[in-house]
Structures are given as structure tokens and as C-alpha cells.
Amino acid sequence: MYPGFELTSVDVQQARALRFEIEEFHTAYAHALDSGQLQQWPEFFTDDAVYRITARENADEGLPVGLVYADSKAMIRDRAFAIEHTQMFAPRYLQHFVTNVCVVAVEGETIRARANYQLLQTLVDGPTTLHQAGRYFDVFVRVNGRLLLKNRQCVYDTLLIANDLVYPV
Amino acid sequence: MFNADIVIGQPGQFPKDRMDEHVEYKWPAAGLTEIPDWVYTSPAIYAREVERIFHGRTWNFVALEAEIPNAGDFKRSFVGPTPVVVSRDTDGSVHVFENRCSHRGVEFCRKQRGNATELVCPYHNWSYDLKGNLQGIPFKRGIKGVGGGMPKDFRNEEHNPRKLRVAILHGVVFASFKEDVEPLEDYLTPEILKDFEVVFKGRKLKVLGFYRNELPGNWKMYHENLKDPYHATLLHSFLVSFGLLVAGSKNAMIACPVGRHGTMAAAKPDDVASVVDESSKAQMRAYRDDFKLADPRFLDYVREFDSPWSVTMQTIWPNLIVQRELNTLGIRHIVPNGPHSMIMLWTMFGYEGDTEDMQAHRLRQGNLMGPSGFLGLEDNEAIKFMQEGVRRSTADRGILKLGGTTEGTTASLIDESAIRAMYHHYRDIMEL
């Protein structure tokens, strides 16, 4: 388990309401990425957000490296910009499937939640493959009534990556 | 998509994939300015490479000492495609032996890393000490009154897994299948040691984490890519767009005298505009003086090394890349996986005593490299495309004429001398 994401006692009604709200968040987030609106992606984060994609072996050993590592919304913007304007890669489609949302802790306007994700990748000359199986460990905060990610740790089980990971998770 | 997922044009379906030992491999008459496709596609050539290069008189990277700092620490690793265990014994010595139980051939060490007093094969519980010696055999003498067991003349010490020769330099562990390989420092040569020591000498490493990926391309392409400074300003738009490297900045492509190792070196210009002339700008499609990062901390270079270079990418034959790209550091361990595939094992590190800020800075710059790196993923894509091209096409060779026919070290980026030097050595070893 990622540290800080053990289940605490959360009011059942509140957890259900939040879970629904978080599922809507994941749906909108996945839609932005899967439909290629990469410039929308940074808008799901707070200005001081931390975003990291890392292998489960790193998470388990408490190692800090990220396949993608950003410790500001500005860096998240730069990543989106680099993918859209500087990077060379074969055309591909991606689809995110986010399930098993679990609200583990609520402290005022800060919500900690877990979810599982599957990332399917389709290269245009190949089959659709399960590119990553992973889990999100998220810290949300409510800003002007809207949930934003203050910290997203994407921890993938698929240690051996099929060549590369181009788009964010 | 893994190499194994290929549907259109599967490996093995093209004539070049099926060439075998009975074919007479004849290098093009033009020599090193032409590279025949079969060096990337032939299973027979691949088999010869494993025998003569990875299992031959070479030093292969297997681990960083920082991965196995304590007595009893072990790591699953590879020499060429061959699985090995790297372990640290209670006396502090480091050992490398094949990850194969002497009994029935089981690859017995299954954990990527761990700590143990002995390693036990899960099948019949034969056990090995941290030096790789066969220790215990359950029921070796059978069951009293019932019989069975090993013959009386069975001697454990005659049935150890194959042990490799080990050499450690500045915390980097190498192994060799050949007892008569030259000393490691001679093997690396002064030309290469110089920049190797900038990263490793006198500094205790702190491992920051790992990435792994399959790259569907021939293992030599990764060496070529880092002996090919020409691609850096053309493929890697990010470097150019943000002024980290441009044609006209100070560079060198250093080759060792034998030709097999190399160091691609560059000095980040303080003022990009002053070193890029109008004609270079026009040729670098990626050059944009209007691009700016939202978080410019990313481009900072903390001058922590006694070196004129801000970037050194070292190719250490046959399976190690040492990356020093500004302040992000790491090694890549190449595991050849047949002619059409390699496994890349990345270990990223900083130094013991790094401040929290410095570590965060290294992690931020880590975005340049790895299987999602601004540069790293482009190399993976380009190499995959190259493998597809050489495997599926009817043409049978590539062109290596930048810089003419010279071999070895060059100051120009627009030169392939270091790749020619590598293939000079390759042809000698492979007798091609």
C-alpha cells in the first residue's frame, strides 16, 4: 500500500457522495486525455501539484524516481507542451479505464482516494494492448467548489514497459 | 506494443530474419561506410554475438554497488541474455554466478533484489551460499532404512553454477565469462575512464529508482544511437527548442582506441542565440527562439562536476550506458533479447549527501530520459522504426558516410566516425 492511503473511518454518506464526485472527475480527466485535448490536462491540477508516474517496485521501496515527475502545474504544462510540439513518436490512441474508487480519508477540504486504472494503447498498425495496469493514489482539494488534484501518484504494476509511455496516465 | 505483439510483418516472416549459419556473410565491398542489414536481423549473427561478445573477452555491467550495499544483498541481473545473480557475501566480497540450479536448470533466484543468508531453489530446495557454492541437497543420503539419495561419490563442489570473473571500479560491478579478459581499467581505456570517473570516482551513489522497458530493436542500435551525435539536434527537438544542444555548441564524440566504447559530450551554451548562425537555424527544423518553458527551473545546470562538459553519454561495450545529462544521472543496462529486441534496465541515481533541493532537481531533470523522457522516448521510437525498416525492406544496407571514411574521435556533430570505429572492432571480433 502506498503510504498515507490506508483506509480511515470516513462517514459512509459523505464517502458515497465524494466517490460519485471523484468518479465524475476521473471520467472528465480520462476524456480529456483519450480525446487528445492535452492542453486541458494541466487544468485538473492545483498550481503546486505533484504528479508522478512510477513503477510499483519504486513505490514499494520508497524510491522517489518518476517515469514522469512534475512538482508544479507549470511542469505539467511543459510536459503537455513538449508532447504536442516537440516529441516524435508513432501515432497512437489511448483509453483509460478507472475503477474501484475508494475514498480513504477526508480532512476538511482535502480528500485522499485510491483507484485502479487500466491503460489500453492502440498503435495504428498493431493490436490494442493493455499498456499499463496501475493504481492512482490521489490527494484532491476543493478549490472554488471544484475538485483539483494536489498530488497524483500513478503507480504501475507493468514494470516492463512496451517500448515507451508517450501520453500521461 | 511488445515485439511479441507484432501482427503485420511478424519477425521470422521475412527472408532476412531466416538467414542462418549456412549463409556466407560477406560485408559490403565499400567497407565501414555501409552496414549490411543482416547484422540487425540474422539469428545466426545474433548467436555469434552472444558467444563472441557478451560471453567473450568483454567486461559486462551487472550492478552498482549501491544496489547491494550490505552483506547478504543480492540482485537478479544479466550478462548478455544470460541470467546471473550478483551477491555480496558476509566478507563484503561481490560474486556473480549463473542463475541456474545445478540440479534441473531452474532459474532459482526470482526476486529482483533482496537480502538473504543463502539462496534456495524453490523446486527441490537445493541451496547456494552467497559465493554461489552449492551447499545443501535435501535427503542427499536418502531416507534411513528406505534408501535413495545421491551416489556416494557425488561432490557438491563439482556442481556449482558457473561463476563469472568480477571486477569493481568506483562502485560499478562488471563480470566476464572469460578468465583471460584484460584488466577492467585497461579494457575501459584512459579516454573513457576520464568521464566515467567524473560520475563515479570518490562519490557514493544514492539509488533513486528504476525503469525497465522492452525496445523492439537490435541491441547494437542503442550503441550506434549514442555514437551518432548527428541525430541529437535533429530528432530531439526538445534539446534544440530549449537551447540545451544546438549545432554550433561545443561538442565532442570521443571513441576509445579500439573503437568499441564512446563518450558523446556536449557543453550547454550559456547563450544559445550567440552560437546558432542563421544557416544552422534553417537546417534544424526544431529550432524555435520563441519557445519558453513555464517552469524554467528544469533547464538549470548546477555545475557540480570538474568537467568542461555538461552532458556525457558513455557507451561502454557491450552492455552499459552511463548517462550524465546536466544533473540527471543514471545507467542503462542493455540485455539483448534476440536480433529484434533488447531489454533496457535503467537505474537512476544521485549522490549520498545531496540536499533535498538537489535531489528534487535531479528528479525534475529525469524527465529528459527514460521510456517517457523528452529525449528517451524518441530514441526508443526511432530505433523501433529502424528495426522495422531493415527487417521488412528489400534494400540490404545502410549508409554511414558522414565525415567520410575516418574512424574514431571527432569534434563535429555531423559525423559518423565513432559508429565506423565500433563496426571496425565488431568485424574483427565477429570475423566478418
Side-chain angles (χ1 to χ4, degrees):
Chain A
M1 179 57 61
Y2 203 82
F5 285 85
E6 299 80 9
L7 190 59
T8 64
S9 60
V10 184
D11 176 76
V12 175
Q13 294 304 324
Q14 189 188 18
R16 280 192 185 142
L18 280 170
R19 181 176 160 178
F20 187 70
E21 199 177 353
I22 289 168
E23 281 181 349
E24 287 184 330
F25 180 96
H26 290 320
T27 302
Y29 181 101
H31 175 73
L33 291 180
D34 296 347
S35 58
Q37 299 167 62
L38 211 54
Q39 65 287 353
Q40 289 296 316
W41 174 55
E43 304 312 316
F44 291 90
F45 294 88
T46 63
D47 288 344
D48 61 349
V50 173
Y51 174 82
R52 179 170 78 130
I53 306 175
T54 204
R56 188 160 174 173
E57 62 181 326
N58 297 321
D60 286 350
E61 292 183 35
L63 294 169
V65 87
L67 195 66
V68 175
Y69 179 98
D71 60 3
S72 69
K73 182 175 177 175
M75 276 192 81
I76 295 170
R77 277 215 180 97
D78 289 336
R79 169 68 62 168
F81 180 88
I83 296 167
E84 288 200 312
H85 298 284
T86 80
Q87 301 229 262
M88 188 289 291
F89 49 85
R92 66 200 61 205
Y93 306 126
L94 288 150
Q95 287 196 28
H96 294 69
F97 292 81
V98 185
T99 58
N100 304 44
V101 174
C102 178
V103 176
V104 298
V106 180
E107 298 138 18
E109 293 295 278
T110 302
I111 301 136
R112 302 169 89 82
R114 309 187 292 244
N116 291 8
Y117 70 83
Q118 285 184 42
L119 180 65
L120 302 188
Q121 176 169 280
T122 311
L123 297 182
V124 296
D125 54 359
T128 297
T129 53
L130 177 54
H131 199 57
Q132 273 195 353
R135 290 192 291 173
Y136 288 133
F137 297 96
D138 293 327
V139 180
F140 292 96
V141 291
R142 197 176 293 283
V143 179
N144 300 327
R146 186 188 165 206
L147 290 182
L148 292 177
L149 283 166
K150 188 181 168 61
N151 193 318
R152 164 158 277 190
Q153 301 286 322
C154 314
V155 178
Y156 59 89
D157 291 357
T158 320
L159 302 187
L160 188 67
I161 296 165
N163 206 20
D164 51 22
L165 176 73
V166 174
Y167 290 104
V169 179
Chain B
M1 193 169 91
F2 292 115
N3 189 51
D5 294 324
I6 292 174
V7 173
I8 303 169
Q10 289 175 340
Q13 302 307 311
F14 289 86
K16 287 188 217 170
D17 301 338
R18 291 158 171 261
M19 293 171 83
D20 63 21
E21 212 41 271
H22 304 297
V23 175
E24 198 197 340
Y25 291 97
K26 203 161 176 292
W27 201 277
L32 294 166
T33 57
E34 293 185 357
I35 305 296
D37 288 353
W38 45 255
V39 303
Y40 309 112
T41 56
S42 154
I45 290 292
Y46 174 74
R48 202 188 295 185
E49 289 170 350
V50 172
E51 179 200 326
R52 297 191 184 192
I53 297 171
F54 295 101
H55 292 178
R57 280 182 197 83
T58 55
W59 283 108
N60 289 259
F61 170 84
V62 288
L64 296 171
E65 278 200 283
E67 294 177 88
I68 47 163
N70 303 311
D73 284 349
F74 65 87
K75 175 196 171 185
R76 228 177 139 182
S77 188
F78 297 88
V79 171
T82 308
V84 297
V85 178
V86 185
S87 61
R88 188 181 290 278
D89 194 16
T90 45
D91 63 5
S93 57
V94 174
H95 302 269
V96 179
F97 45 93
E98 275 202 52
N99 188 357
R100 179 194 198 276
C101 182
S102 306
H103 181 209
R104 302 297 307 278
V106 169
E107 197 177 308
F108 58 89
C109 179
R110 307 305 303 184
K111 273 179 82 173
Q112 307 285 20
R113 282 172 298 280
N115 185 281
T117 52
E118 59 175 2
L119 295 159
V120 181
C121 176
Y123 199 0
H124 304 95
N125 294 3
W126 286 32
S127 64
Y128 298 89
D129 70 13
L130 294 163
K131 287 186 164 74
N133 296 312
L134 173 59
Q135 293 286 296
I137 299 177
F139 300 107
K140 190 174 176 184
R141 296 288 163 243
I143 294 169
K144 209 175 170 183
V146 181
M150 298 296 269
K152 276 217 163 53
D153 62 353
F154 184 89
R155 299 171 68 84
N156 286 14
E157 60 271 25
E158 289 170 2
H159 297 275
N160 292 325
R162 185 158 176 193
K163 296 180 186 182
L164 281 74
R165 213 177 136 193
V166 179
I168 302 175
L169 186 62
H170 306 312
V172 187
V173 184
F174 293 84
S176 180
F177 270 103
K178 287 284 186 282
E179 278 303 317
D180 60 351
V181 59
E182 66 200 288
L184 176 58
E185 290 195 45
D186 296 349
Y187 177 79
L188 292 174
T189 74
E191 287 82 352
I192 298 302
L193 269 174
K194 195 175 165 199
D195 292 293
F196 184 84
E197 288 178 345
V198 168
V199 175
F200 294 111
K201 191 176 180 180
R203 309 285 300 263
K204 239 182 148 184
L205 304 188
K206 182 181 177 193
V207 173
L208 299 178
F210 306 95
Y211 328 126
R212 304 160 190 276
N213 65 291
E214 188 216 20
L215 207 173
N218 185 275
W219 66 275
K220 296 185 293 301
M221 291 177 181
Y222 214 93
H223 287 267
E224 292 175 35
N225 183 59
L226 288 170
K227 287 176 160 66
D228 160 24
Y230 180 49
H231 88 282
T233 60
L234 300 167
L235 172 64
H236 298 312
S237 311
F238 188 92
L239 283 178
V240 179
S241 301
F242 298 108
L244 289 169
L245 179 73
V246 286
S249 56
K250 190 169 172 279
N251 308 283
M253 183 63 238
I254 300 157
C256 78
V258 177
R260 56 192 164 187
H261 316 305
T263 304
M264 191 192 288
K268 180 190 174 204
D270 290 325
D271 177 14
V272 181
S274 67
V275 298
V276 184
D277 61 36
E278 288 304 318
S279 126
S280 293
K281 269 187 201 178
Q283 296 206 45
M284 294 186 291
R285 289 162 191 255
Y287 186 79
R288 298 283 298 265
D289 25 27
D290 57 327
F291 278 7
K292 291 275 177 293
L293 286 178
D295 193 336
R297 293 176 303 168
F298 184 76
L299 300 175
D300 292 347
Y301 175 45
V302 179
R303 293 182 188 277
E304 58 177 323
F305 303 103
D306 181 20
S307 167
W309 309 116
S310 53
V311 178
T312 54
M313 301 298 297
Q314 296 201 285
T315 39
I316 296 180
W317 187 260
N319 75 338
L320 175 65
I321 311 299
V322 180
Q323 162 205 320
R324 175 167 76 85
E325 170 81 42
L326 305 175
N327 301 110
T328 183
L329 307 169
I331 60 92
R332 305 169 198 172
H333 176 176
I334 299 171
V335 181
N337 188 37
H340 308 297
S341 165
M342 68 188 116
I343 306 298
M344 300 286 300
L345 306 174
W346 305 64
T347 306
M348 308 304 289
F349 56 82
Y351 297 115
E352 293 285 351
D354 278 349
T355 61
E356 218 172 288
D357 281 352
M358 189 64 187
Q359 179 169 309
H361 178 57
R362 294 194 202 286
L363 294 170
R364 282 193 292 271
Q365 274 183 351
N367 285 288
L368 288 167
M369 296 300 183
S372 286
F374 296 139
L375 281 57
L377 83 84
E378 295 180 321
D379 291 324
N380 292 10
E381 290 285 300
I383 289 171
K384 176 176 188 266
F385 301 168
M386 183 170 161
Q387 187 71 25
E388 287 171 350
V390 296
R391 198 162 56 73
R392 299 172 177 181
S393 56
T394 58
D396 63 358
R397 66 197 67 184
I399 305 162
L400 270 188
K401 289 190 176 173
L402 288 173
T405 58
T406 53
E407 296 168 33
T409 299
T410 59
S412 170
L413 290 178
I414 316 304
D415 201 300
E416 289 159 338
S417 290
I419 306 179
R420 286 190 291 271
M422 181 185 103
Y423 275 105
H424 187 131
H425 171 69
Y426 178 85
R427 289 182 65 184
D428 288 348
I429 295 293
M430 295 286 286
E431 294 181 81
L432 290 167

